[in-house]
Structures are given as C-alpha cells and as structure tokens.
Amino acid sequence: MGMMGASLAASLRKDPGLRIAGVVRSQKSKEFIESHELATEVYCASGLSDLPVALDEFDLMVLGMPVNANGVLLEELGARSAENLPLITDMSSTRTYLERVAAQFPDLPFIGSHPMCGSEDTGPSAVKEELFRNRLVILIRSSIRSPEKQENFDNLSQFWKHLGSHVFELNERDHDLVLAYLSHAPHLLSSLLATVTARRPEVRNINRQSPIPITGGGLRDMLRIAGSNPEMWRDILQTNRNYIAESLRDLRQGLDELIQTVESDDLDWWAGWQNQSRKDRNEICGYNED
C-alpha cells in the first residue's frame, strides 16, 4: 500500500460501511495509514501467507506493488482455489508480463488495470485523495488468456468510474506499445535531460552561483518526473524493454534530424516544424487550439 494504494483507500473511505484492508511492508507505513485512518484495518506482511484474514471475505483485491512483485503475488494467488478468491486487479504500468503470468492459471479471476495517474512521489505519505478523479484507467482485454467474465469487467469498470475515472479497454500488446511512447520513454528522457544538463560544468557552476536556480518553467516541467521510483522503473524497463527501446530509437532519429537542421544555414523549416509540433502536442494531449 504505497502512494497509489493509499490514494485509492483515501478515495474509497468516503463510502460508509466499506471495509478497506491495507497491506504494507513496513511498520512505518502501517503506522502512517492507521494514524490517518486510510483503511479500516492494516497488516504488515511480506507475503500472502502472512495475512491473518481470508481473501474470500472481500469483493475486490487490488495489487499495488511494482510489476514484478505483482507477478509473484499473481503466482501465489493462482496456486489457490479460485473459489476462495475475490476479483483481482492491479495498478501496474506494463501488461504483457502479467498476462503471461496469469495465463498459467486459467481459473484465476484477474483483470489488469492501469490508472494513468502515478506520481514521482512514493510511499503512503504521498497520498492524494483525488488522485483518480478525471483520470484514465485502462482495463486489459487479454489476447493471451481466455476471456474473463463480462460481469467482472462491468463491475471493475464501475469501480473505477465510482472514483471519477474514465475507463478505456486495450489488449496487453497495444497497451505496452502505446505506453512506451506516451509514458515510459518520456520518463527516461526527463532523467536523461537532468543528467546531461548537470554534466555541463558551466551550466552547473553558474546555476549554483545564482541566488535562485536559473531554470525556467519549461525545464522544471520537463524535469518533474526525473528520477522517479527506481524499483518501479527497473521493473517497467525489464517488462517492456523492446517497445521502450523502439521508442527511444525513434526519438534518437528525430533528434539527429533536428541537429542537422539546426546546424544548417537554412531556417525556413523552423516555423513549419514548430507549428506542426504544436498541432501534434494538441492532438496527443487533447488540447483545443485557441
């Protein structure tokens, strides 16, 4: 129950009578969740076998660990009788890996979810009560496993909509391809931009001498997600390596082309290039042109 799990609990606790059980890995997190009343009960456990409650007491189980850890949990759950399990979902940023894990257990009641509302902050103390409101949640229609019951899809979709989220469905392959370009590569580029900028001695030294950082709003926006949770992003790299590498190669080609045009004496290309990039930004982000 990290930032995402705590935020999910904070969004749900408004519903009177709802039982919310949180599971954490540290006593510090347990104490924070209890002191802020983010769950009706909190357990500090290293695995499912340590839980003192039966899973079939609940209607929904949400896995909020990094993707590889969620895969381990799915394997543990898959080894159990499906009759003793609630509907299971998760909040991972890559999907093909988990679908392959779940495919080993045909009776596992699992539907993957990816809420598009993460943060560079970690741990339950980074809780955001309205984190899921007006954000997109992608549900996975697996192309690897047998179709899950439509009733379970409907219930899970309603669950996210109840939190104010918009719901969209994709298969695992399309999800990982699209997210490599729209989320994973931008995070890596943000970290790379911070590193490359700091490596230039003049930039680092002069910026240090200034009474406040010289950075403009544009750079701050681009660096906001630099250096996000290393554990989570290691797992994303490991489980979506091919598509991320493909997106980075496309970006490298675009950067090489941009360098060539900047170095040329002809700047007639600039206005058209910049106007096209603005149109592309508006289309991708859903902005309306003024």
Side-chain angles (χ1 to χ4, degrees):
M1 198 173 183
M3 186 279 293
M4 295 283 284
S7 299
L8 181 60
S11 301
L12 291 169
R13 66 179 174 178
K14 302 172 186 177
D15 297 341
L18 190 66
R19 182 185 180 188
I20 304 172
V23 182
V24 295
R25 292 185 288 184
S26 72
Q27 186 64 28
K28 180 180 178 180
S29 293
K30 182 177 185 293
E31 292 171 356
F32 178 89
I33 292 168
E34 289 177 334
S35 65
H36 289 75
E37 299 180 344
L38 294 176
T40 51
E41 53 202 90
V42 190
Y43 304 102
C44 190
S46 59
L48 294 176
S49 59
D50 297 333
L51 291 179
V53 293
L55 296 181
D56 60 4
E57 297 177 9
F58 300 91
D59 297 316
L60 178 66
M61 182 178 187
V62 183
L63 309 182
M65 301 281 282
V67 61
N68 280 337
N70 281 342
V72 173
L73 289 173
L74 277 183
E75 290 178 338
E76 292 185 46
L77 290 164
R80 302 186 176 200
S81 170
E83 296 179 355
N84 298 323
L85 294 175
L87 176 61
I88 303 163
T89 191
D90 72 311
M91 297 186 286
S92 301
S93 298
T94 64
R95 308 308 326 175
T96 302
Y97 164 69
L98 290 179
E99 288 302 317
R100 288 173 177 166
V101 171
Q104 302 173 54
F105 311 99
D107 296 327
L108 186 67
F110 172 71
I111 299 173
S113 300
H114 180 192
M116 298 292 296
C117 54
S119 169
E120 66 275 18
D121 300 319
T122 61
S125 60
V127 59
K128 295 178 175 63
E129 187 168 319
E130 298 295 317
L131 180 67
F132 301 92
R133 181 164 298 279
N134 205 32
R135 304 303 292 268
L136 182 68
V137 176
I138 301 174
L139 300 187
I140 302 303
R141 288 276 187 180
S142 181
S143 67
I144 297 174
R145 301 184 291 128
S146 299
E148 187 57 49
K149 296 177 182 177
Q150 184 59 42
E151 179 184 4
N152 286 343
F153 264 99
D154 294 341
N155 289 339
L156 187 57
S157 178
Q158 187 58 42
F159 169 80
W160 290 116
K161 289 179 180 178
H162 179 69
L163 299 179
S165 301
H166 304 273
V167 176
F168 184 52
E169 293 183 6
L170 286 173
N171 65 47
E172 70 287 340
R173 178 188 178 279
D174 289 343
H175 172 280
D176 288 356
L177 168 62
V178 170
L179 267 294
Y181 282 81
L182 299 185
S183 177
H184 303 160
H187 271 80
L188 296 179
L189 288 175
S190 178
S191 297
L192 179 63
L193 180 60
T195 300
V196 170
T197 302
R199 282 178 180 170
R200 181 80 183 205
E202 300 94 330
V203 174
R204 179 188 287 267
N205 294 334
I206 293 173
N207 193 50
R208 283 175 173 174
Q209 296 166 16
S210 174
I212 61 173
I214 300 174
T215 54
L219 182 64
R220 286 194 298 272
D221 289 345
M222 295 177 73
L223 296 186
R224 180 184 64 82
I225 54 177
S228 295
N229 185 337
E231 180 183 6
M232 181 182 74
W233 279 94
R234 179 198 62 202
D235 286 5
I236 290 173
L237 281 169
Q238 182 179 356
T239 56
N240 202 26
R241 180 183 291 110
N242 291 339
Y243 284 135
I244 293 174
E246 182 178 328
S247 66
L248 292 175
R249 283 192 293 269
D250 284 349
L251 287 164
R252 180 177 62 189
Q253 179 179 344
L255 183 59
D256 287 341
E257 293 171 355
L258 181 59
I259 291 171
Q260 291 175 5
T261 51
V262 168
E263 289 178 338
S264 71
D265 293 330
D266 180 13
L267 289 178
D268 291 341
W269 61 274
W270 172 249
W273 186 88
Q274 189 75 328
N275 287 333
Q276 183 60 51
S277 69
R278 182 182 182 87
K279 292 178 181 178
D280 293 338
R281 180 206 65 179
N282 292 345
E283 178 183 349
I284 291 170
C285 297
Y287 297 154
N288 293 321
E289 185 67 61
D290 296 332

